[in-house]
């Protein structure tokens, strides 16, 4: 009987070694895959959610009562899909508000980089104030100019 017990233990040792090697290989493959996925997710940024506003032309006032014109087109950057859909749904109202707000601008101020930044901030404030009541998680992130001409 003692020889049978020794034979069982002789089979058990290689089986335990093979099992340990297989589980180690599985853990190694899992870790390598996780690192590869983390690297890919860090290198590929998510695309911004943009809503395009068709270019518009408005008359501006100036201090010298000269005729000035602003031709501007831009994209609105939405923070989530619900905000993007809301912006597209209310586009006629948004364009109307923008035309009114843009026509009140001073042409001399819009010619400077600070004036363009101030206009973008004013547009964000206008849209957040007037559309935020429609949706509690309204996330409007920024204004990105695509066309901007002051004459």
């Amino acid at each position: 009987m003692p020889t049978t017990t020794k034979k069982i233990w002789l089979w058990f040792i290689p089986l335990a070694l093979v099992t340990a090697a297989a589980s180690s290989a599985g853990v190694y493959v899992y870790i390598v895959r996780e690192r590869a996925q983390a690297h890919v997710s860090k290198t590929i940024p998510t695309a911004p959610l943009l809503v395009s506003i068709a270019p518009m032309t408005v008359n501006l006032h100036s201090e010298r009562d000269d005729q000035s014109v602003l031709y501007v087109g831009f994209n609105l950057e939405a923070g989530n899909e619900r905000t993007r859909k809301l912006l597209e749904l209310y586009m006629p109202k948004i364009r109307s508000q923008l035309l009114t707000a843009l026509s009140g601008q001073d042409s001399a101020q819009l010619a400077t980089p600070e004036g363009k930044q101030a206009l973008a901030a004013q547009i964000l404030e206008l849209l957040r104030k007037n559309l935020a009541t429609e949706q509690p998680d309204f996330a409007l992130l920024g204004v990105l100019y695509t066309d901007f001409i002051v004459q």
Side-chain angles (χ1 to χ4, degrees):
M1 269 318 230
T3 57
T4 328
T5 309
K6 283 186 179 181
K7 286 184 181 179
I8 291 175
W9 279 106
L10 288 177
W11 282 102
F12 179 73
I13 292 172
L15 183 63
L17 290 174
V18 168
T19 304
S23 66
S24 297
V27 169
Y28 175 77
V29 168
Y30 176 77
I31 290 173
V32 168
R33 282 187 187 167
E34 288 296 317
R35 286 185 182 172
Q37 287 177 354
H39 179 69
V40 168
S41 66
K42 287 181 185 176
T43 58
I44 300 174
T46 58
L49 298 173
L50 300 176
V51 176
S52 180
I53 304 291
M56 54 183 82
T57 305
V58 294
N59 292 323
L60 300 174
H61 72 66
S62 65
E63 294 174 5
R64 298 173 294 192
D65 291 329
D66 293 336
Q67 288 285 347
S68 297
V69 176
L70 171 65
Y71 176 80
V72 64
F74 49 87
N75 290 318
L76 299 173
E77 187 176 5
N80 56 39
E81 186 64 28
R82 291 182 65 191
T83 301
R84 186 188 65 78
K85 287 181 182 179
L86 183 70
L87 289 171
E88 289 176 351
L89 182 66
Y90 285 94
M91 188 55 65
K93 180 180 178 181
I94 291 170
R95 285 186 59 82
S96 175
Q97 291 173 349
L98 289 173
L99 284 170
T100 304
L102 292 173
S103 64
Q105 300 297 315
D106 187 347
S107 61
Q109 287 180 328
L110 291 179
T112 65
E114 294 82 17
K116 291 179 180 96
Q117 290 174 352
L119 178 62
Q122 183 181 359
I123 290 170
L124 284 175
E125 180 65 28
L126 173 75
L127 295 178
R128 284 180 182 150
K129 181 177 76 173
N130 289 333
L131 294 178
T133 59
E134 303 292 335
Q135 179 178 339
D137 61 341
F138 189 73
L140 189 58
L141 302 178
V143 174
L144 307 170
Y145 293 115
T146 56
D147 302 304
F148 201 94
I149 299 172
V150 179
Q151 287 185 336

